[in-house]
Amino acid sequence: MSNSFVLVINSGSSSLKFAVIDSQTGEAIVSGLGECFGMPEAVIGWKYNGEKTEEAISAPDDHHQHAINRIVKLIDTLGFTSEIVAIGHRIVHGGEKFTSTVRIDENVLAEIESIADLAPLHNPAGAKGIQAAMTAFPSLPQFAVFDTAFHQSMPKRAYTGAISSDLYTDYGIRRYGFHGTSHYFVANEAAKMLNKSVEECSFISVHLGNGASVCAIENGQSVDTSMGFTPLSGLMMGTRCGDLDPGIIEFLLKKGWSQEKVFDALNKKSGFLGVSGLTSDARGILEAMENGHQGARLAFEVFTYRVAKYIGSYLIPLSHLDAVIFTGGIGENSLPIRREILNNLKLLGFVEDEKGNEDARFGNAGVIAKSELLGAVAVVIPTNEEFVIAQQSVELL
């Protein structure tokens, strides 16, 4: 066994993902998910050696702590407790305070809690996961890896909002960006694929999943990204609206909508779900579209058009373009969506390699298109955010 296993924890408000990662190879030795926290049907399941196991969470109150305790027992039963050298936590928002991975102590935990209003659905849950893990593993070093950290290299012109500077000074309102670990990982992998140093590459990274974002990467650093102050802006997503005229919020409030109803609509009832009136899942959209569902067809067209529009606009901050990188659940697997995005990029010279596009799915990386005009390629690279968290945790050791 490797002597550098890291337990990676991604704690949500009603769920907790975990994996034991070999920090040298990126292999997930065991991985699992606790979900439906706070509800009677709360469960925790895991996969080990190809076998899946699931059991109910019977704790009456703190499901996060119960899930962590069950993970401790699982790791002990499987016999690699002594192989785990650190615990890495995915934390969604680091504000301007955290520009890289940090070792967690009481002060760091307090800082994460203090910026909870920047990510009210995520940071309190992340803090809860940290507290549970510190109780369960008091002797292990723990590290926080922030979604926003990779984007702290953005220049002021990219992160500054066109609003009163007092709003930035008083409340920290600016573009922060998310999916940082994913964009960081695939950029480094794309550089290897092209046999170049990441410091001399320019990429447009396109992370497409239930959450989606685009990132312009120059010399290995984020120089612009589509998500903003929150993960609501930018691309259309599974249930999130993406970019929207803020005047619509005022309009709906004047129509008698409550603030809660407005933001519930924008966060949970928009995107694929809202436009199609059917589902938030891209696979369901494609299936319904094939069966002639017009709402699904429109959702497909809006999504692919907006992704292509962002890719085109993100040529602006780059000195040149080496590759457009597709990643995330949709980006890695959905052939029709990638094909339509490439069709929308024909003015940039991209010509699809149909066989390459068909082959680069279900865990396979590859080149799917080329642009002679730009001297660039489009590639698919499966992301591995847990590997990044494990690697950065071990590096700090």
Side-chain angles (χ1 to χ4, degrees), residues 11-13 64 112-113 115-117 119-131:
S11 187
S13 56
H64 284 83
I112 290 170
E113 291 174 324
I115 53 176
D117 57 346
L121 297 178
H122 298 93
N123 273 35
K128 192 176 285 188
I130 290 171
Q131 290 165 335

Side-chain angles (χ1 to χ4, degrees), residues 274-290:
V275 177
S276 71
L278 190 67
T279 178
S280 64
D281 189 277
R283 292 164 295 189
I285 292 292
L286 294 173
E287 185 179 341
M289 191 172 75
E290 287 177 10

Side-chain angles (χ1 to χ4, degrees), residues 71-110:
I71 293 166
V72 174
K73 185 178 177 182
L74 173 64
I75 290 169
D76 191 49
T77 302
L78 296 177
F80 46 74
T81 299
S82 61
E83 306 291 333
I84 294 177
V85 298
I87 300 175
H89 296 266
R90 178 201 176 212
I91 303 298
V92 166
H93 218 305
E96 291 185 304
K97 173 72 177 179
F98 297 108
T99 59
S100 61
T101 297
V102 295
R103 186 162 178 165
I104 297 170
D105 57 23
E106 292 298 334
N107 289 332
V108 168
L109 180 56

Side-chain angles (χ1 to χ4, degrees), residues 332-333 360-365 382:
E332 293 168 27
N333 300 306
R361 289 184 291 170
F362 315 126
N364 296 319

Side-chain angles (χ1 to χ4, degrees), residues 142-209:
Q142 312 216 15
F143 299 89
V145 181
F146 300 90
D147 264 17
T148 50
F150 180 58
H151 302 297
Q152 285 295 306
S153 54
M154 283 190 293
K156 282 188 175 181
R157 66 179 185 179
Y159 73 69
T160 300
I163 53 176
S164 166
S165 59
D166 291 344
L167 294 176
Y168 170 56
T169 305
D170 296 344
Y171 303 111
I173 297 176
R174 49 157 285 183
R175 182 177 303 278
Y176 288 101
F178 301 90
H179 293 140
T181 50
S182 178
H183 292 304
Y184 167 84
F185 177 81
V186 297
N188 281 274
E189 292 299 301
K192 292 176 191 173
M193 182 185 285
L194 300 178
N195 200 26
K196 296 177 73 173
S197 163
V198 72
E199 286 80 12
E200 58 182 355
C201 290
S202 292
F203 297 127
I204 297 173
S205 174
V206 187
H207 179 109
L208 303 179

Side-chain angles (χ1 to χ4, degrees), residues 30-50:
V30 59
S31 60
L33 171 67
E35 54 188 337
C36 300
F37 290 1
M39 302 170 70
E41 57 268 34
V43 295
I44 184 168
W46 59 88
K47 184 178 179 181
Y48 177 65
N49 276 348

Side-chain angles (χ1 to χ4, degrees), residues 37-40 42 57-64 66:
F37 290 1
M39 302 170 70
I57 294 178
S58 55
D61 43 26
D62 194 345
H63 287 162
H64 284 83
H66 181 93

